[in-house]
Amino acid sequence: MATRQIVTVGAEVLREKAKIVTEFSERLWTLLDDMRETMILAKGVGLAAPQVGILKRVAVVSTDDGKTVYELVNPVIVKSAGSQIEEEGCLSVPGRVGFVERPLTVAVKAQDRFGKPIKIKTEEGDPFLAIVFCHEIDHLDGVLYTDKAIEGYKPPENSDK
Ligand code: CO
């Protein structure tokens, strides 16, 4: 395993549409291993392949506690419900945060590193995970959270945020 350099905003690769993965070979496995390591080292909770300069539909997503890392190849959000507005940041947009509206729960269809279909459903009790899935899948279409951030948004006074 090796870490890869995370590209930051301004890089063209962050704005392009990533390509569907059709080969589930060693090259993909190395990419996934490297992305996992890079994400952990950067203390991130998600990383998409374009962020390391690779235009493939590949992402890794970590649970808040870091206990589970999901590997997503060709992920698609097939269902979403509810809504939440929370603060987001991005390893490719250092030093900034912004409030974004996202679904409360999502169901994601993807493939694992061997090409086997997988489906992940997030729980209402873990709204954070739905945010990360949405954020990373957006990266695969060249979308950054800053495109969706609500300008001047302030959380409600009685919020614990
Ligand atoms: Co990001």
Side-chain angles (χ1 to χ4, degrees):
M1 284 207 281
T3 57
R4 304 206 183 189
Q5 196 177 345
I6 297 174
V7 298
T8 52
V9 70
E12 193 69 24
V13 70
L14 290 175
R15 290 312 199 170
E16 288 174 31
K17 202 171 159 72
K19 294 183 192 72
I20 295 272
V21 173
T22 53
E23 273 184 52
F24 298 83
S25 59
E26 190 128 16
R27 204 183 168 88
L28 173 68
W29 305 337
T30 304
L31 174 64
L32 281 163
D33 290 343
D34 289 356
M35 283 173 62
R36 178 192 292 248
E37 196 178 328
T38 304
M39 174 184 73
I40 291 166
L41 186 77
K43 296 183 165 55
V45 288
L47 191 68
Q51 293 184 273
V52 292
I54 306 288
L55 267 179
K56 286 183 183 170
R57 302 191 80 79
V58 175
V60 289
V61 166
S62 171
T63 52
D64 209 2
D65 58 14
K67 280 184 185 156
T68 307
V69 175
Y70 296 100
E71 296 181 346
L72 307 172
V73 182
N74 301 325
V76 179
I77 292 170
V78 289
K79 216 171 166 183
S80 64
S83 118
Q84 56 179 327
I85 299 175
E86 288 297 338
E87 200 169 57
E88 285 180 39
C90 178
L91 294 173
S92 292
V93 190
R96 286 182 62 183
V97 288
F99 283 92
V100 182
E101 186 173 6
R102 302 283 193 187
L104 205 55
T105 60
V106 292
V108 178
K109 267 188 179 169
Q111 283 163 282
D112 70 7
R113 60 167 58 205
F114 305 106
K116 195 181 127 217
I118 51 170
K119 193 169 179 184
I120 302 153
K121 281 162 98 174
T122 70
E123 304 290 333
E124 245 176 75
D126 191 5
F128 174 76
L129 197 56
I131 293 174
V132 187
F133 280 121
C134 292
H135 179 118
E136 299 314 325
I137 293 170
D138 272 353
H139 271 300
L140 306 181
D141 291 318
V143 175
L144 298 177
Y145 87 85
T146 47
D147 302 340
K148 297 182 168 178
I150 307 165
E151 195 93 14
Y153 178 83
K154 287 203 173 56
E157 288 277 325
N158 59 356
S159 158
D160 57 2
K161 299 282 165 348

